[in-house]
Amino acid sequence: LVTRTSGTKIASEALKGRVLELNLADLNNDEDQSYKKIKLCIEEIQGRNCLTDFHGMELTRDKQCALIRKGQTLIEGHADVKTTDGFVV
């Protein structure tokens, strides 16, 4: 919890770099997407607003279990993706 600046510590600097984890349903007000967990990293503070950047996405454990049947295995893959504007995720 960061409340205010004191001495040489600046409150906004303590927030930078923190990773937030929340449901996609909370962001979009759509309960059908509640099984997706989104991670956002705080990049900049402007007044009382935090500017965030996408940090990752996961599925909830119950959704993963529903997708995998007994006797089958899960193969995970990681890839760097380049968007149309040239940003690498």
Side-chain angles (χ1 to χ4, degrees):
L1 178 66
V2 178
T3 55
R4 67 179 99 160
T5 302
S6 64
T8 59
K9 291 185 178 182
I10 300 172
S12 63
E13 293 299 320
L15 289 174
K16 287 184 183 177
R18 287 192 184 186
V19 177
L20 310 171
E21 185 174 301
L22 50 129
N23 284 343
L24 188 59
D26 294 336
L27 287 175
N28 294 339
N29 292 326
D30 183 10
E31 290 300 319
D32 294 335
Q33 299 175 346
S34 63
Y35 61 89
K36 295 177 184 174
K37 295 189 297 187
I38 303 294
K39 290 183 181 180
L40 301 172
C41 182
I42 298 176
E43 297 293 325
E44 190 176 332
I45 310 297
Q46 291 182 348
R48 294 182 57 90
N49 297 323
C50 296
L51 301 180
T52 60
D53 195 14
F54 180 77
H55 192 70
M57 186 194 88
E58 292 180 0
L59 297 177
T60 57
R61 176 144 173 89
D62 61 327
K63 183 65 173 179
Q64 285 179 351
C65 292
L67 292 174
I68 300 173
R69 304 235 187 306
K70 188 174 181 180
Q72 295 180 343
T73 58
L74 173 68
I75 300 172
E76 292 187 15
H78 301 278
D80 292 332
V81 179
K82 190 173 186 180
T83 61
T84 56
D85 59 352
F87 188 73
V88 178
V89 180

